[in-house]
Amino acid sequence: MADMDPETTTNTAGEEEPLFSNLDLFLFSLIVGLVIYWFMSRKQPEPIPEFKKLDTPTPTTRETSFVEKMKKTGKNIIVFYGSQTGTAEEFANRLAKDSQRYGMKGMAADPEEYSMGELARLAEIENSLAIFCMATYGEGDPTDNAQDFYDWLQENDDEDLSGLNYTVFSLGNKTYEHYNAMGKYVDKRLEELGAKRIFDLGLGDDDGNLEEDFVSWREQFWPAVCEHFGVEASGDESSIRQYELKVHTDVNMNKVYTGEIGRLKSFEVQKPPFDSKNPFLAPVTVNRKLNKAGDRHLMHLELDITGSKIRYESGDHVAVFPTNDSELVNKLGEILGVDLDVVISLNNLDEESNKKHPFPCPTTYRTALTHYLDITNPPRTNVLYELAQYASDPKDQENMRKMASSSPEGKALYQNWVLDSCRNILAVLEDMPSLKPPIDHLCELLPRLQARYYSIASSSKVHPNSIHICAVVVEYKTKTGRFNKGVATNWLKNKLVNGHKSTVPMYIRKSQFRLPFKASNPVIMIGPGTGIAPFMGFIQERGWLKQQGKEVGETVMYFGCRHKNEDYIYQEELEEAEKNNFLTQLNVAFSRDQDHKIYVQHHLKKNKEHLWKLINTDNAHIYVCGDARNMAKDVQTAFYEIAEEYGSMTRTQATDYVKKLMTKGRYSQDVWS
């Protein structure tokens, strides 16, 4: 070894050499000691701790079995509602509440929240009954929340509902082509699947008096139920409260709703996707008056959807959530003598109910009356009935109860004093000074303020980050001398561009009002007044397709207004589109610029031969938007006449021909009454 002592290599003659020298032993001992030290001092691996399994509560899931829920809560009547504007839901709640007066227990239910495949199991509950309050939307379609139920009814031919007792009240409007289609379908389909109808289908007509139709049906319905189940009415006609008031004296204001539709603080921290429960706050970037003169206010608004990930197509609807006029809200507070800024909650007395509050709580009375409750429509008869107890004048009490009855005298009084006079809840309170209801009960009874729908007046191909609205401001004088204002249009009118609170809570509702898949198909658009809205989007899109080099069929527009120099809205845009050949033909009817009135249908009749060629030979698609009561019917009649004359058809054949166009999606309507 290089470092070994030289002495170890020198040997004395005759001496025996030892096996290990002292140095060897020293070095060996040193190495062994170091090894032992290394082993002993090395960091021991940490033992892996044993974690106890945490007893985490199972996340609460909403009960999807309405049968189990009814068993658990002792209920035997369930009232399903298909509702788009809240009326069917309101009627369902009233029927569920009624059941208590007949010794039964009912619950209102959204079919979207439950498994409708359990209808057959309802027979497990004694004296059970399913009531369906079904509204019809659009072209005979189910409402959004009843779409899955409708699909289930269509798809399940083998379902046996022989143990199900049911009845249907349907909500519709006679001015529409498919009057009460959804209610009629549900009534017929349940019978086909073996269910037992215990009372006749009720048909409510919103073009007439929907409230009266419902009250008349309900008055006959309950005696039929009592007879069927062998029960008697309790005779208790007193008011039945559904919610109890809690006043919050010490509350964190960050936990208080200030107008949000769903999630608390959702207007401060916006998170997609945006829908009816989570609207997007869109800034207003344009708000201009469209008409040049006249006493009306027609307006064009543009909403900025940049960064929202919202997508829309031409023909879709934009839904906006308006707020009530602060002047009306303040007057309600004054007449009831309450502090509107008190923080409250209205809590459902039925703890098992999915609907814990009538509107987002906790909140203030001011927020509830501004954002959540409908205070401008005439109150329904059930509201008058429930509030009658708070009138100190016996005559007022008598009249309010009479208006809520189904007697001819009561119906006439309600029609004249409430509906024809357009009295809202404030007007009722002002004209009945003895009526002083507690504000919490009033808030419980008033229906929810609903979103308003507008046909989108733009194309996403041209305006991907902007949604355009075209609307006329509603304002009129009532028989009582009051001025009533449309909630949404007046609210939109006052939205200042880039001003304080110039945002609009909105979401998109998809529509079947669509341009043809093949751009080469001609389109015939009929839209007088603000009915032109979706066609502005159609024209923009057809123009864009042409610029992309696509083959685009004829694009024909029939527009109508009162006076050329007053309300010919979008005149510049339409004439520019015609000049660029985006519009191949522009026909405008000015109804009041001459002695005799000229409407869009008159222009259609002038161009019969050309229209027949487009429809019968070139597979044109027809679109009608606007007034359902008169215009849409007159336009349809004009097409019957064209088919009669140029297709050599009888009126019956012509009617069938147009109906077939509708079935094939070649005659579409986006109309309102």
Side-chain angles (χ1 to χ4, degrees):
M1 288 178 69
D3 61 346
M4 191 173 286
D5 193 326
E7 207 175 70
T8 60
T9 59
T10 309
N11 293 320
T12 307
E15 279 187 11
E16 187 179 345
E17 188 177 357
L19 187 62
F20 295 109
S21 69
N22 289 336
L23 183 60
D24 289 337
L25 290 170
F26 170 74
L27 288 173
F28 179 75
S29 301
L30 182 64
I31 290 166
V32 170
L34 287 170
V35 169
I36 292 169
Y37 174 78
W38 182 78
F39 271 106
M40 294 297 292
S41 63
R42 190 174 55 142
K43 187 176 181 182
Q44 297 296 313
E46 290 184 2
I48 298 171
E50 282 188 30
F51 289 106
K52 269 190 178 180
K53 189 174 180 182
L54 295 174
D55 293 327
T56 51
T58 309
T60 55
T61 54
R62 178 166 278 181
E63 177 70 77
T64 60
S65 169
F66 61 84
V67 174
E68 293 306 320
K69 186 160 194 170
M70 290 171 75
K71 287 179 178 179
K72 186 178 176 184
T73 55
K75 297 195 167 69
N76 65 321
I77 291 179
I78 185 161
V79 194
F80 292 107
Y81 57 85
S83 188
Q84 197 69 33
T85 62
T87 308
E89 181 181 0
E90 187 188 331
F91 285 179
N93 282 320
R94 285 163 68 175
L95 289 168
K97 201 170 176 182
D98 278 347
S99 64
Q100 294 180 56
R101 296 193 171 100
Y102 298 91
M104 294 177 266
K105 287 183 76 178
M107 63 179 271
D110 183 342
E112 199 172 36
E113 293 181 358
Y114 294 99
S115 171
M116 297 305 285
E118 291 215 325
L119 278 175
R121 286 191 60 208
L122 204 55
E124 296 172 15
I125 298 171
E126 190 180 358
N127 286 354
S128 62
L129 170 64
I131 307 171
F132 297 85
C133 287
M134 308 307 292
T136 300
Y137 188 75
E139 295 296 290
D141 302 317
T143 57
D144 290 349
N145 76 312
Q147 182 66 55
D148 290 344
F149 173 47
Y150 175 75
D151 293 341
W152 179 83
L153 284 172
Q154 284 197 311
E155 292 161 7
N156 288 275
D157 289 330
D158 300 330
E159 196 72 30
D160 178 12
L161 298 182
S162 54
L164 175 68
N165 297 310
Y166 81 95
T167 192
V168 179
F169 183 81
S170 186
L171 297 82
N173 188 310
K174 268 188 179 157
T175 59
Y176 291 86
E177 179 79 22
H178 305 279
Y179 174 58
N180 269 319
M182 181 60 180
K184 289 174 181 175
Y185 173 75
V186 171
D187 181 62
K188 175 171 163 283
R189 185 62 173 149
L190 290 174
E191 184 182 44
E192 287 172 355
L193 295 175
K196 183 178 181 181
R197 182 191 298 108
I198 68 158
F199 190 66
D200 294 338
L201 166 69
L203 297 175
D205 179 18
D206 199 31
D207 188 47
N209 186 333
L210 185 60
E211 176 71 13
E212 184 180 311
D213 294 338
F214 175 68
V215 169
S216 298
W217 177 85
R218 175 174 157 242
E219 291 273 331
Q220 298 170 62
F221 164 68
W222 283 115
V225 172
C226 290
E227 186 181 342
H228 181 83
F229 291 125
V231 297
E232 289 183 16
S234 64
D236 181 12
E237 293 296 316
S238 62
S239 173
I240 301 168
R241 290 294 298 265
Q242 192 177 348
Y243 299 92
E244 64 177 351
L245 172 68
K246 178 175 173 58
V247 177
H248 302 278
T249 51
D250 183 21
V251 65
N252 179 353
M253 292 308 285
N254 285 323
K255 304 284 186 184
V256 176
Y257 283 86
T258 58
E260 302 94 328
I261 305 302
R263 180 174 52 85
L264 186 67
K265 302 296 177 189
S266 60
F267 287 168
E268 291 177 22
V269 182
Q270 293 256 277
K271 293 176 184 175
F274 297 105
D275 54 27
S276 60
K277 293 180 176 64
N278 181 36
F280 175 66
L281 283 183
V284 177
T285 54
V286 173
N287 186 353
R288 63 185 171 94
K289 188 176 179 180
L290 286 169
N291 50 317
K292 304 177 188 78
D295 53 3
R296 296 187 303 160
H297 184 102
L298 292 104
M299 57 189 175
H300 171 90
L301 288 97
E302 296 182 13
L303 310 180
D304 186 0
I305 56 169
T306 303
S308 67
K309 297 183 180 176
I310 288 173
R311 300 288 176 264
Y312 73 95
E313 292 182 60
S314 301
D316 283 343
H317 297 132
V318 58
V320 303
F321 288 95
T323 58
N324 288 311
D325 187 341
S326 59
E327 187 181 340
L328 281 182
V329 173
N330 289 333
K331 280 185 179 176
L332 276 171
E334 287 166 18
I335 205 164
L336 295 172
V338 295
D339 177 3
L340 293 176
D341 296 310
V342 171
V343 179
I344 57 106
S345 286
L346 287 179
N347 301 322
N348 202 322
L349 291 164
D350 178 359
E351 292 179 1
E352 296 297 327
S353 173
N354 283 354
K355 191 174 182 179
K356 302 301 179 190
H357 316 283
F359 44 77
C361 291
T363 190
T364 64
Y365 286 125
R366 185 182 304 283
T367 299
L369 293 169
T370 303
H371 293 272
Y372 300 137
L373 298 171
D374 184 345
I375 61 173
T376 58
N377 273 315
R380 297 199 185 276
T381 57
N382 67 304
V383 176
L384 299 178
Y385 182 86
E386 297 267 353
L387 295 183
Q389 62 185 307
Y390 302 115
S392 55
D393 184 338
K395 187 70 180 168
D396 285 346
Q397 271 199 30
E398 183 191 340
N399 281 332
M400 291 178 78
R401 290 203 170 104
K402 189 186 289 179
M403 285 189 281
S405 75
S406 60
S407 71
E409 188 187 355
K411 287 178 181 178
L413 184 60
Y414 178 72
Q415 181 70 43
N416 178 56
W417 197 80
V418 178
L419 297 182
D420 294 346
S421 300
C422 301
R423 278 185 170 89
N424 57 30
I425 191 63
L426 176 61
V428 168
L429 292 168
E430 286 174 339
D431 294 345
M432 282 189 174
S434 85
L435 180 60
K436 297 290 179 188
I439 190 170
D440 63 294
H441 198 179
L442 181 64
C443 288
E444 174 180 325
L445 294 169
L446 289 173
R448 284 291 296 267
L449 182 60
Q450 298 295 323
R452 293 341 193 231
Y453 298 92
Y454 296 96
S455 301
I456 296 176
S458 53
S459 164
S460 59
K461 298 285 191 293
V462 181
H463 300 284
N465 294 315
S466 180
I467 285 173
H468 300 183
I469 294 174
C470 168
V472 58
V473 175
V474 177
E475 188 171 7
Y476 57 93
K477 190 175 182 178
T478 71
K479 286 183 178 179
T480 65
R482 295 176 171 92
F483 279 95
N484 280 6
K485 295 179 177 181
V487 177
T489 54
N490 281 275
W491 170 74
L492 286 171
K493 178 188 173 185
N494 294 319
K495 288 288 175 187
L496 302 173
V497 175
N498 300 321
H500 179 58
K501 291 187 177 176
S502 68
T503 54
V504 170
M506 53 74 66
Y507 68 96
I508 299 298
R509 188 179 193 276
K510 293 294 176 187
S511 163
Q512 300 301 316
F513 203 70
R514 288 275 182 267
L515 278 167
F517 180 73
K518 285 184 179 177
S520 56
N521 284 104
V523 299
I524 301 161
M525 304 171 288
I526 302 115
T530 55
I532 195 174
F535 303 133
M536 294 308 296
F538 281 15
I539 293 163
Q540 289 171 14
E541 188 145 329
R542 302 276 279 187
W544 180 84
L545 288 166
K546 266 197 171 174
Q547 289 173 333
Q548 304 304 306
K550 297 275 176 22
E551 183 193 343
V552 179
E554 283 196 49
T555 306
V556 179
M557 179 77 224
Y558 286 85
F559 173 67
C561 61
R562 294 176 183 178
H563 302 283
K564 182 175 183 178
N565 295 325
E566 278 188 14
D567 53 355
Y568 184 1
I569 60 176
Y570 297 115
Q571 180 180 355
E572 294 80 9
E573 291 92 330
L574 291 171
E575 290 174 353
E576 182 70 17
E578 188 180 32
K579 182 179 152 190
N580 292 330
N581 206 32
F582 297 164
L583 261 182
T584 47
Q585 193 182 98
L586 174 60
N587 306 277
V588 186
F590 304 108
S591 63
R592 302 182 189 182
D593 273 352
Q594 58 285 311
D595 294 337
H596 59 288
K597 290 185 178 175
I598 297 176
Y599 296 115
V600 285
Q601 59 267 27
H602 297 123
H603 278 280
L604 290 171
K605 290 172 185 177
K606 270 193 208 171
N607 297 314
K608 287 180 184 177
E609 190 175 352
H610 178 234
L611 288 167
W612 180 248
K613 177 186 174 294
L614 290 178
I615 298 162
N616 199 52
T617 308
D618 301 339
N619 288 317
H621 286 233
I622 302 164
Y623 301 91
V624 183
C625 183
D627 165 52
R629 187 173 285 109
N630 299 307
M631 182 276 296
K633 288 180 178 176
D634 292 340
V635 164
Q636 206 162 311
T637 302
F639 282 113
Y640 294 157
E641 291 175 13
I642 292 169
E644 282 174 346
E645 188 174 339
Y646 286 90
S648 302
M649 300 179 192
T650 64
R651 176 52 65 99
T652 305
Q653 289 170 329
T655 304
D656 288 343
Y657 181 83
V658 171
K659 289 254 165 63
K660 277 178 186 166
L661 290 177
M662 290 177 174
T663 306
K664 291 175 182 174
R666 285 182 52 206
Y667 191 121
S668 303
Q669 299 184 94
D670 182 0
V671 292
W672 55 85
S673 61

